[in-house]
Amino acid sequence: MNGDTAAVQGGRRISAHAVCAAIRDDIISGTYPPGGRLAEELLARRYGVSRVPVREALRTLESEGFVTTRRHAGACVAQPSEKEAADLLDIRDLLEPLGAARAAQRRTEGHVKVLRGLVRLGQERARHGRLGELRALGDWFHETLAQASGSPSLAGLLVQLRRKTAWVYAVDPARAQAGPGVAGSVDLSVRAVESWAEHGAIVDAVARGDADRARALAAAHTERSLSEYRMRKESPVRTSKHSVNTASGRN
């Protein structure tokens, strides 16, 4: 998508990239359920833009797998199959440890500073039970870690994988607030503290330039998180036998 394309809203120019991000966020949150139609006119009205950036956003989201185009229905939210959902977990299981190892080899001091700051914030929020703030911090942490790999292609894949995993394994908002890797059978506050301790250990290894240690810690962290995603799949409340996503509100 051409990020220079923009719409005007209240005197402000809004990039097509921002429109795409807003629609993607609403798909991931469950505002637009799997199979739901995405009418350009209604989307343009919702986001206060013309249909041009909306059309570009839908094309980008289709290339990312969030949207499909149906004959006579137009753009609709995709309905990922069980196989596709399982494949996402397997791919993340392979790539996230690689990303951490590359980060240990290529990170800058700036990356380490940001990562340490995010760990401090995450650990503080987790200790005080402020779970609603952890998902955004977790996303920021993992995106920064991916960027520290020094590979734009790998970083892009990792960010997209996390978004899609969060989407296809979406749960009710109360459980999802603590971020990926928190299952309903585990006390949310305890698991959140553990998760951010794991983040801190990964950053320590990255800061030391210990690629093997960073890879091993990231693999253990990822496996715990993905195991809990798989546990969610054991007893979801589904709206469609073809759909994995069960979100009905914002994550």
Side-chain angles (χ1 to χ4, degrees):
M1 178 177 58
N2 182 358
D4 295 331
T5 302
V8 177
Q9 181 186 62
R12 295 184 298 112
R13 293 182 66 79
I14 302 174
S15 69
H17 177 78
V19 176
C20 181
I23 298 173
R24 184 193 297 112
D25 286 346
D26 280 340
I27 290 174
I28 292 173
S29 74
T31 299
Y32 303 127
R37 186 166 179 268
L38 297 168
E40 289 182 9
E41 183 178 353
L42 295 179
L43 292 173
R45 190 180 309 145
R46 174 180 173 86
Y47 302 109
V49 298
S50 72
R51 294 176 65 169
V52 174
V54 168
R55 192 172 300 122
E56 291 192 26
L58 292 177
R59 283 198 293 265
T60 297
L61 293 170
E62 184 171 15
S63 71
E64 293 177 356
F66 289 100
V67 170
T68 60
T69 301
R70 297 177 181 172
R71 183 178 297 181
H72 307 308
C76 301
V77 179
Q79 295 179 284
S81 67
E82 298 282 357
K83 182 179 182 298
E84 290 170 326
D87 286 346
L88 284 174
L89 298 189
D90 289 340
I91 295 169
R92 266 188 63 182
D93 209 9
L94 292 171
L95 291 187
E96 289 201 345
L98 172 63
R102 290 284 176 84
Q105 296 168 330
R106 302 174 178 176
R107 89 291 184 280
T108 66
E109 290 304 313
H111 289 132
V112 173
K113 183 176 181 180
V114 172
L115 288 168
R116 289 202 186 283
L118 290 169
V119 167
R120 283 195 297 271
L121 287 174
Q123 290 177 338
E124 177 190 3
R125 302 298 193 272
R127 284 195 304 269
H128 290 87
R130 295 163 63 179
L131 305 186
E133 301 173 36
L134 292 183
R135 176 173 289 279
L137 285 174
D139 288 345
W140 190 359
F141 173 87
H142 284 285
E143 288 188 21
T144 303
L145 185 63
Q147 291 165 4
S149 71
S151 170
S153 297
L154 178 58
L157 282 171
L158 288 170
V159 170
Q160 185 171 335
L161 278 169
R162 288 187 61 80
R163 287 171 177 164
K164 292 196 73 175
T165 305
W167 172 48
V168 299
Y169 285 95
V171 293
D172 63 272
R175 285 164 61 187
Q177 281 179 340
V182 181
S185 60
V186 181
D187 180 85
L188 291 176
S189 295
V190 172
R191 181 61 188 116
V193 170
E194 292 173 348
S195 181
W196 280 94
E198 293 165 6
H199 289 163
I202 293 170
V203 173
D204 288 341
V206 167
R208 292 196 305 270
D210 190 339
D212 290 339
R213 177 71 172 163
R215 183 193 296 270
L217 290 170
H221 176 71
T222 301
E223 182 53 39
R224 269 189 288 274
S225 297
L226 302 189
S227 292
E228 289 164 0
Y229 272 126
R230 292 183 181 102
M231 287 171 61
R232 292 174 182 176
K233 189 165 68 71
E234 297 295 327
S235 57
V237 178
R238 295 185 187 158
T239 57
S240 168
K241 66 179 181 179
H242 300 296
S243 175
V244 177
N245 188 298
T246 61
S248 59
R250 297 200 62 83
N251 286 328

